Amino acid sequence: MKQMIQTLNAPQPSGPYSQGVQSGNFIFISGQDGVHPNGDSAGDTITAQAAASLENIKSILAEKNAGLSNIVHMTCHLADLNEENVREFNNVYASYFEDVEIKPARITIGSQLLGVKVEITAIASIN
């Protein structure tokens, strides 16, 4: 059985999808980008947008009493995949997972994104 996850502490979906879905012991988080919950842009840098994306993911997970340590896989999309942007992204990403013993499996890919530089999806496992 699956359940929709919805919070006002992350941007509302701009299309026909859920912020997150729980199915059994797994939570699937839709792509979260560099936008604050009120819809305002977090800024024009990879740093600001990555932080906003991760904060949105944290907020969605919190609806199910979960956190970053529950994440088992992430797909990280960068609008411009190059060494400098990946380095900037990794600095922010590392700060969020600093206290997480087992880091999520992850892929970082270049994607055509609409008006943002970063979008992140996540899969979490809960008991």
Side-chain angles (χ1 to χ4, degrees), residues 29 68 124:
I29 307 287
L68 296 178

Side-chain angles (χ1 to χ4, degrees), residues 26-85:
F26 288 97
I27 295 174
F28 300 87
I29 307 287
S30 290
Q32 298 299 308
D33 51 30
V35 176
H36 294 299
N38 66 3
D40 291 344
S41 171
D44 197 35
T45 66
I46 298 283
T47 297
Q49 290 192 17
S53 299
L54 291 165
E55 288 296 326
N56 292 335
I57 289 170
K58 281 174 55 175
S59 294
I60 294 166
L61 289 170
E63 289 296 307
K64 290 295 182 176
N65 297 313
L68 296 178
S69 64
N70 294 99
I71 296 175
V72 295
H73 186 270
M74 299 185 89
T75 302
C76 305
H77 302 265
L78 299 180
D80 185 10
L81 188 65
N82 63 53
E83 270 188 59
E84 182 180 332
N85 286 347

Side-chain angles (χ1 to χ4, degrees), residues 59-127:
S59 294
I60 294 166
L61 289 170
E63 289 296 307
K64 290 295 182 176
N65 297 313
L68 296 178
S69 64
N70 294 99
I71 296 175
V72 295
H73 186 270
M74 299 185 89
T75 302
C76 305
H77 302 265
L78 299 180
D80 185 10
L81 188 65
N82 63 53
E83 270 188 59
E84 182 180 332
N85 286 347
V86 170
R87 188 173 26 259
E88 186 177 348
F89 177 80
N90 278 338
N91 286 338
V92 176
Y93 184 93
S95 72
Y96 275 81
F97 289 93
E98 189 172 68
D99 297 328
V100 174
E101 182 180 351
I102 300 173
K103 313 295 189 238
R106 182 185 112 180
I107 185 169
T108 303
I109 59 175
S111 296
Q112 287 185 314
L113 301 175
L114 298 174
V116 295
K117 294 181 177 184
V118 176
E119 185 172 12
I120 305 171
T121 67
I123 300 170
S125 176
I126 57 174
N127 295 332

